[in-house]
Amino acid sequence: MSADLSNTVIKPKNKIGGAHTTIIGGRHGKKIINIISQHPEVKKIIPSVITVKGKGNSGGVITGKVQRPDDRGNLRMLLSHGTSSQEIRIVTTVGDVSEGARVMGELNAMLVDD
């Protein structure tokens, strides 16, 4: 007897790791991270330092932009939400700068489409 899996939702494995899993922007920030995690060449997402500039309004529009690759093709993304910003490190399965630049373009395109 075989099981019918046609209606089963398969969740991607959790790609968020690191010392903490705090993401700025609440649900909207987590939605951006979820979009990035769906890319097949993203291996791990590591939330990093959160900085706050000034004493202004902490709310507002949340934006994310994937920035230049390092020598191994890994990327970093800058999330901004009001006066707060957070660096997110993105570990990829690619091995060099040129492939990392391609993945960077694809990820930024995914963020624009949403």
Side-chain angles (χ1 to χ4, degrees):
M1 182 169 133
S2 64
D4 179 19
L5 299 176
S6 60
N7 292 329
T8 305
V9 176
I10 300 173
K11 295 182 179 179
K13 70 175 189 172
N14 189 4
K15 293 183 177 183
I16 297 178
H20 69 87
T21 57
T22 304
I23 306 291
I24 65 170
R27 288 183 314 212
H28 300 293
K30 289 181 182 177
K31 182 178 179 184
I32 290 173
I33 297 300
N34 187 34
I35 290 168
I36 294 296
S37 71
Q38 293 175 10
H39 193 284
E41 291 174 307
V42 170
K43 184 175 179 182
K44 200 79 166 163
I45 297 172
I46 304 169
S48 191
V49 179
I50 299 171
T51 56
V52 179
K53 300 173 189 152
K55 295 182 179 179
N57 183 5
S58 62
V61 177
I62 185 162
T63 59
K65 181 171 183 185
V66 181
Q67 299 177 334
R68 60 182 164 69
D70 65 9
D71 294 339
R72 295 182 180 164
N74 297 321
L75 305 165
R76 64 186 194 107
M77 179 170 70
L78 190 62
L79 274 181
S80 298
H81 184 232
T83 58
S84 301
S85 64
Q86 182 175 19
E87 185 176 308
I88 309 288
R89 300 192 186 276
I90 303 170
V91 180
T92 65
T93 58
V94 300
D96 60 23
V97 176
S98 62
E99 287 294 305
R102 178 186 55 79
V103 173
M104 176 186 70
E106 292 171 1
L107 293 176
N108 279 323
M110 289 171 71
L111 292 174
V112 170
D113 288 345
D114 188 39

